[in-house]
Amino acid sequence: MTKVSYAANPLLSSGRLFPEPTSSFRNEFQRDRDRIIHCSAFRRLEYKTQVFVNHEGDMFRTRLTHSIEVSQIARSIARVLGCHEDLAETISLAHDLGHTPFGHAGQDALNHCMKKYGGFEHNIQSLRIVDSLEKRYADFDGLNLMYESKEGILKHCSIKNAKKIGILGERFIKQQQPSLEAQIVNIADEIAYINHDIDDGFRSGLLSIDALMSNYLFKSCAEDLWTKKSEINQEIFINEVVRRMINRMVSDLIASSQKIIKQYNPTSLEDVRAMPSLISFSQELLQHKLEIKHYLRKALYEHDKVLAMTDKAKNIINRLFDYFMDDPAQIPAGFKNGSDDGFSLTIADYIAGMTDRFAIQIHNNID
Ligand code: MG
């Protein structure tokens, strides 16, 4: 499908903070995608986790494989809706760059440590990475990304922080939407993690097929397989259901969003920003999605074994933060964040950039 008038368009963009000559063979969103893939924070996603800590096993998702799955789903949706597929890919690959080691447990712990100094938000951190922490170019810090890429990366932001970050924060104050490409990535993120957490949860032995069958969405995608359950290998059973669930969710999202877009009829990206969110599941699927998210929270994220892992992770982050606060000279001399906000922000930047295994290694060395 050709791109439509409400799709993001690099030629109509306010562009980059530092103007650069255009490329003769790539559009500006493609260049942003390539800059993300070549940056060091992106490579480190391989050793950062969401639910299962990296050393738990090699079969579980990492933030890198999660980001690639989000990108695959977002690109499929963007293409059908006539949006800019390259921008959807860029935002997907960058959306988790600012995450700390150890997933949400690490983020909560670092936020707690930083409470006195303004807190820690991983979305703001992603922006700090692409705006200043990556050091790759002679003429500027950061990756000098296009406005639309940064707008998509900054998925959430507190009003307090929105007031500090200039033009990118304005939409949170005015309660406006980002581009459709960014809206697509937000939901592709949800589709990816719900489904891969079911898969990883099953592999880890914490979720069972019998218990998963209590969810409407899972059950309705498994019905014909259930009758021949005894003949099917359990891993194949899960793979088949997850494959169907992704398909069901993506198909529903596309059909429902097409209806909403038709109803609001945006003719430009400016229209999209001023309208309510146009990318949404049907009411029916929203209910089923809520049910399965609730189930995953109870059965997986709050499972005793996962909570034991997250407690350990929080302790590691707390101890690292105290250690560097007591002795900031332990931060490698080469680590510069260009900030004059004092040690706390440098320490938060340093810890947030660590992989799971590096954080564990440093923690073990200070024992
Ligand atoms: Mg994500």
Side-chain angles (χ1 to χ4, degrees):
M1 187 169 166
T2 48
K3 287 189 269 297
V4 289
S5 58
Y6 50 75
N9 180 347
L11 301 175
L12 302 175
S13 168
S14 51
R16 305 181 189 280
L17 188 59
F18 302 95
E20 294 182 53
T22 53
S23 161
S24 55
F25 57 93
R26 289 177 299 167
N27 71 58
E28 297 305 303
F29 296 145
Q30 269 181 298
R31 290 176 88 189
D32 280 6
R33 189 257 335 263
D34 299 347
R35 288 175 184 205
I36 301 291
I37 288 177
H38 289 283
C39 83
S40 122
F42 183 71
R43 284 193 295 281
R44 275 178 275 135
L45 294 177
E46 183 175 2
Y47 299 105
K48 291 192 179 202
T49 46
Q50 313 221 100
V51 180
F52 298 94
V53 176
N54 188 261
H55 59 100
E56 296 288 321
D58 289 344
M59 288 183 308
F60 299 124
R61 266 65 174 190
T62 65
R63 289 219 176 262
L64 181 65
T65 58
H66 162 72
S67 301
I68 294 170
E69 289 181 38
V70 173
S71 155
Q72 176 270 313
I73 292 169
R75 284 179 52 195
S76 299
I77 299 164
R79 189 182 300 195
V80 178
L81 296 181
C83 296
H84 205 298
E85 204 177 321
D86 296 324
L87 177 61
E89 185 179 18
T90 302
I91 299 170
S92 301
L93 295 178
H95 85 284
D96 271 355
L97 286 179
H99 268 287
T100 61
F102 315 124
H104 289 285
Q107 128 104 19
D108 292 346
L110 196 52
N111 186 28
H112 185 76
C113 295
M114 286 291 288
K115 209 113 242 149
K116 276 198 272 182
Y117 315 100
F120 176 88
E121 290 179 32
H122 66 83
N123 283 290
I124 290 275
Q125 193 66 13
S126 299
L127 200 62
R128 284 178 59 68
I129 288 170
V130 300
D131 267 352
S132 61
L133 293 177
E134 282 289 329
K135 313 279 185 217
R136 307 184 58 79
Y137 296 88
D139 294 339
F140 45 76
D141 284 343
L143 304 177
N144 196 30
L145 298 183
M146 296 286 283
Y147 176 82
E148 287 73 13
S149 302
K150 298 202 285 184
E151 173 194 53
I153 290 170
L154 193 63
K155 177 174 161 183
H156 300 296
C157 179
S158 62
I159 296 295
K160 184 185 76 185
N161 279 327
K163 287 178 183 161
K164 290 186 204 158
I165 56 172
I167 189 165
L168 274 173
E170 278 177 17
R171 81 174 169 91
F172 298 96
I173 297 162
K174 292 184 190 161
Q175 297 192 313
Q176 288 198 325
Q177 302 298 325
S179 67
L180 284 186
E181 290 79 359
Q183 296 180 38
I184 290 168
V185 174
N186 285 347
I187 300 188
D189 185 21
E190 205 180 17
I191 297 174
Y193 78 69
I194 288 173
N195 286 288
H196 65 50
D197 286 353
I198 290 175
D199 189 28
D200 283 352
F202 174 77
R203 281 167 192 275
S204 67
L206 302 184
L207 301 180
S208 72
I209 292 177
D210 283 350
L212 281 161
M213 286 295 278
S214 65
N215 292 284
Y216 175 86
L217 197 58
F218 187 92
K219 188 172 175 218
S220 65
C221 290
E223 230 137 33
D224 61 316
L225 296 166
W226 186 249
T227 54
K228 40 186 182 179
K229 180 174 149 245
S230 56
E231 305 153 32
I232 306 175
N233 168 298
Q234 290 213 335
E235 276 195 18
I236 292 182
F237 188 99
I238 288 286
N239 280 338
E240 274 290 342
V241 180
V242 163
R243 184 173 75 83
R244 291 167 195 206
M245 277 180 50
I246 295 175
N247 194 30
R248 171 87 61 93
M249 293 170 99
V250 169
S251 308
D252 180 278
L253 185 72
I254 289 171
S256 164
S257 303
Q258 278 171 331
K259 269 192 218 154
I260 303 171
I261 291 169
K262 205 169 166 194
Q263 184 194 339
Y264 281 89
N265 195 26
T267 56
S268 66
L269 178 49
E270 277 55 51
D271 282 356
V272 167
R273 288 185 174 127
M275 288 173 176
S277 174
L278 304 179
I279 304 296
S280 174
F281 291 114
S282 66
Q283 281 305 315
E284 197 193 342
L285 202 127
L286 275 175
Q287 288 305 315
H288 302 323
K289 187 201 74 176
L290 270 181
E291 181 198 31
I292 204 145
K293 280 179 79 166
H294 179 75
Y295 169 79
L296 283 172
R297 195 175 73 234
K298 294 274 162 227
L300 185 62
Y301 311 137
E302 293 176 2
H303 190 287
D304 287 347
K305 282 194 178 160
V306 173
L307 289 181
M309 267 191 293
T310 54
D311 274 352
K312 244 195 209 157
K314 284 183 181 177
N315 282 334
I316 293 177
I317 298 287
N318 288 336
R319 286 205 58 203
L320 287 177
F321 190 81
D322 290 345
Y323 171 71
F324 290 119
M325 280 301 271
D326 284 348
D327 189 2
Q330 295 302 325
I331 302 257
F335 183 80
K336 300 254 186 307
N337 68 349
S339 150
D340 52 8
D341 287 14
F343 286 130
S344 60
L345 191 59
T346 306
I347 292 168
D349 283 338
Y350 186 56
I351 294 177
M354 290 181 181
T355 60
D356 293 8
R357 60 183 190 172
F358 186 68
I360 292 170
Q361 188 196 325
I362 298 285
H363 176 260
N364 290 345
N365 288 346
I366 62 175
D367 254 347

PDB file of all heavy atoms in Angstrom, residues 50 63 66-67 70 95-96 99 155 189-190 193, ligand 1:
ATOM      1  N   GLN A  50      13.702  -8.742  30.386  1.00  0.00           N
ATOM      2  CA  GLN A  50      12.425  -8.154  30.789  1.00  0.00           C
ATOM      3  C   GLN A  50      11.898  -8.897  32.007  1.00  0.00           C
ATOM      4  O   GLN A  50      11.663  -8.324  33.035  1.00  0.00           O
ATOM      5  CB  GLN A  50      11.419  -8.294  29.665  1.00  0.00           C
ATOM      6  CG  GLN A  50      11.947  -7.900  28.331  1.00  0.00           C
ATOM      7  CD  GLN A  50      10.897  -7.123  27.573  1.00  0.00           C
ATOM      8  OE1 GLN A  50      10.954  -5.907  27.537  1.00  0.00           O
ATOM      9  NE2 GLN A  50       9.948  -7.806  26.983  1.00  0.00           N
ATOM     10  N   ARG A  63      15.851  -8.085  25.694  1.00  0.00           N
ATOM     11  CA  ARG A  63      15.294  -6.839  25.147  1.00  0.00           C
ATOM     12  C   ARG A  63      15.620  -6.695  23.662  1.00  0.00           C
ATOM     13  O   ARG A  63      14.896  -6.033  22.939  1.00  0.00           O
ATOM     14  CB  ARG A  63      15.812  -5.628  25.918  1.00  0.00           C
ATOM     15  CG  ARG A  63      15.214  -5.557  27.278  1.00  0.00           C
ATOM     16  CD  ARG A  63      14.880  -4.149  27.725  1.00  0.00           C
ATOM     17  NE  ARG A  63      14.232  -4.223  29.015  1.00  0.00           N
ATOM     18  CZ  ARG A  63      12.911  -4.178  29.201  1.00  0.00           C
ATOM     19  NH1 ARG A  63      12.101  -4.025  28.183  1.00  0.00           N
ATOM     20  NH2 ARG A  63      12.406  -4.279  30.403  1.00  0.00           N
ATOM     21  N   HIS A  66      13.113  -8.983  21.870  1.00  0.00           N
ATOM     22  CA  HIS A  66      11.804  -8.336  22.046  1.00  0.00           C
ATOM     23  C   HIS A  66      11.667  -7.170  21.063  1.00  0.00           C
ATOM     24  O   HIS A  66      10.650  -7.046  20.370  1.00  0.00           O
ATOM     25  CB  HIS A  66      11.647  -7.853  23.492  1.00  0.00           C
ATOM     26  CG  HIS A  66      10.563  -6.833  23.681  1.00  0.00           C
ATOM     27  ND1 HIS A  66       9.220  -7.157  23.604  1.00  0.00           N
ATOM     28  CD2 HIS A  66      10.609  -5.490  23.912  1.00  0.00           C
ATOM     29  CE1 HIS A  66       8.500  -6.051  23.782  1.00  0.00           C
ATOM     30  NE2 HIS A  66       9.317  -5.037  23.968  1.00  0.00           N
ATOM     31  N   SER A  67      12.702  -6.340  20.982  1.00  0.00           N
ATOM     32  CA  SER A  67      12.631  -5.161  20.096  1.00  0.00           C
ATOM     33  C   SER A  67      12.480  -5.589  18.632  1.00  0.00           C
ATOM     34  O   SER A  67      11.767  -4.930  17.863  1.00  0.00           O
ATOM     35  CB  SER A  67      13.886  -4.295  20.252  1.00  0.00           C
ATOM     36  OG  SER A  67      14.006  -3.875  21.597  1.00  0.00           O
ATOM     37  N   VAL A  70       8.875  -6.653  18.184  1.00  0.00           N
ATOM     38  CA  VAL A  70       8.013  -5.463  18.111  1.00  0.00           C
ATOM     39  C   VAL A  70       8.116  -4.856  16.711  1.00  0.00           C
ATOM     40  O   VAL A  70       7.111  -4.488  16.090  1.00  0.00           O
ATOM     41  CB  VAL A  70       8.418  -4.407  19.181  1.00  0.00           C
ATOM     42  CG1 VAL A  70       7.646  -3.107  18.994  1.00  0.00           C
ATOM     43  CG2 VAL A  70       8.193  -4.958  20.584  1.00  0.00           C
ATOM     44  N   HIS A  95      12.734   1.632  21.110  1.00  0.00           N
ATOM     45  CA  HIS A  95      11.782   1.941  22.176  1.00  0.00           C
ATOM     46  C   HIS A  95      12.241   1.490  23.569  1.00  0.00           C
ATOM     47  O   HIS A  95      11.804   2.032  24.564  1.00  0.00           O
ATOM     48  CB  HIS A  95      10.380   1.397  21.857  1.00  0.00           C
ATOM     49  CG  HIS A  95      10.169  -0.032  22.254  1.00  0.00           C
ATOM     50  ND1 HIS A  95      10.677  -1.093  21.538  1.00  0.00           N
ATOM     51  CD2 HIS A  95       9.531  -0.581  23.304  1.00  0.00           C
ATOM     52  CE1 HIS A  95      10.335  -2.225  22.131  1.00  0.00           C
ATOM     53  NE2 HIS A  95       9.638  -1.943  23.207  1.00  0.00           N
ATOM     54  N   ASP A  96      13.143   0.517  23.655  1.00  0.00           N
ATOM     55  CA  ASP A  96      13.577   0.034  24.966  1.00  0.00           C
ATOM     56  C   ASP A  96      15.033   0.385  25.289  1.00  0.00           C
ATOM     57  O   ASP A  96      15.592  -0.145  26.255  1.00  0.00           O
ATOM     58  CB  ASP A  96      13.403  -1.495  25.056  1.00  0.00           C
ATOM     59  CG  ASP A  96      12.010  -1.863  25.564  1.00  0.00           C
ATOM     60  OD1 ASP A  96      11.250  -0.949  25.921  1.00  0.00           O
ATOM     61  OD2 ASP A  96      11.689  -3.074  25.591  1.00  0.00           O
ATOM     62  N   HIS A  99      16.126   1.195  28.959  1.00  0.00           N
ATOM     63  CA  HIS A  99      15.840   0.311  30.092  1.00  0.00           C
ATOM     64  C   HIS A  99      17.099  -0.043  30.867  1.00  0.00           C
ATOM     65  O   HIS A  99      18.150  -0.263  30.300  1.00  0.00           O
ATOM     66  CB  HIS A  99      15.133  -0.962  29.625  1.00  0.00           C
ATOM     67  CG  HIS A  99      13.639  -0.819  29.665  1.00  0.00           C
ATOM     68  ND1 HIS A  99      12.938  -0.806  30.838  1.00  0.00           N
ATOM     69  CD2 HIS A  99      12.733  -0.654  28.689  1.00  0.00           C
ATOM     70  CE1 HIS A  99      11.651  -0.654  30.584  1.00  0.00           C
ATOM     71  NE2 HIS A  99      11.497  -0.548  29.284  1.00  0.00           N
ATOM     72  N   LYS A 155       7.570   7.636  24.763  1.00  0.00           N
ATOM     73  CA  LYS A 155       6.194   7.126  24.826  1.00  0.00           C
ATOM     74  C   LYS A 155       5.413   7.738  25.993  1.00  0.00           C
ATOM     75  O   LYS A 155       4.276   8.148  25.845  1.00  0.00           O
ATOM     76  CB  LYS A 155       6.302   5.603  24.987  1.00  0.00           C
ATOM     77  CG  LYS A 155       5.023   4.856  25.153  1.00  0.00           C
ATOM     78  CD  LYS A 155       5.350   3.366  25.145  1.00  0.00           C
ATOM     79  CE  LYS A 155       4.271   2.527  25.743  1.00  0.00           C
ATOM     80  NZ  LYS A 155       4.642   1.106  25.784  1.00  0.00           N
ATOM     81  N   ASP A 189       4.200  -3.332  20.789  1.00  0.00           N
ATOM     82  CA  ASP A 189       4.981  -3.674  21.989  1.00  0.00           C
ATOM     83  C   ASP A 189       4.144  -4.589  22.892  1.00  0.00           C
ATOM     84  O   ASP A 189       4.593  -5.637  23.357  1.00  0.00           O
ATOM     85  CB  ASP A 189       5.331  -2.354  22.706  1.00  0.00           C
ATOM     86  CG  ASP A 189       6.233  -2.535  23.909  1.00  0.00           C
ATOM     87  OD1 ASP A 189       6.908  -3.563  24.002  1.00  0.00           O
ATOM     88  OD2 ASP A 189       6.268  -1.616  24.758  1.00  0.00           O
ATOM     89  N   GLU A 190       2.906  -4.192  23.089  1.00  0.00           N
ATOM     90  CA  GLU A 190       1.993  -4.964  23.951  1.00  0.00           C
ATOM     91  C   GLU A 190       1.707  -6.344  23.344  1.00  0.00           C
ATOM     92  O   GLU A 190       1.744  -7.359  24.042  1.00  0.00           O
ATOM     93  CB  GLU A 190       0.695  -4.159  24.078  1.00  0.00           C
ATOM     94  CG  GLU A 190      -0.086  -4.457  25.306  1.00  0.00           C
ATOM     95  CD  GLU A 190      -1.362  -3.618  25.377  1.00  0.00           C
ATOM     96  OE1 GLU A 190      -1.796  -3.055  24.346  1.00  0.00           O
ATOM     97  OE2 GLU A 190      -1.941  -3.556  26.476  1.00  0.00           O
ATOM     98  N   TYR A 193       4.896  -8.528  23.820  1.00  0.00           N
ATOM     99  CA  TYR A 193       5.242  -9.062  25.144  1.00  0.00           C
ATOM    100  C   TYR A 193       4.192  -9.995  25.716  1.00  0.00           C
ATOM    101  O   TYR A 193       4.533 -10.976  26.378  1.00  0.00           O
ATOM    102  CB  TYR A 193       5.731  -7.976  26.111  1.00  0.00           C
ATOM    103  CG  TYR A 193       4.690  -7.084  26.762  1.00  0.00           C
ATOM    104  CD1 TYR A 193       3.794  -7.565  27.705  1.00  0.00           C
ATOM    105  CD2 TYR A 193       4.644  -5.732  26.453  1.00  0.00           C
ATOM    106  CE1 TYR A 193       2.865  -6.724  28.303  1.00  0.00           C
ATOM    107  CE2 TYR A 193       3.716  -4.883  27.051  1.00  0.00           C
ATOM    108  CZ  TYR A 193       2.816  -5.392  27.971  1.00  0.00           C
ATOM    109  OH  TYR A 193       1.909  -4.565  28.553  1.00  0.00           O
TER     110      TYR A 193
HETATM  111 MG    MG B   1       9.005  -3.017  24.965  1.00  0.00          MG
END
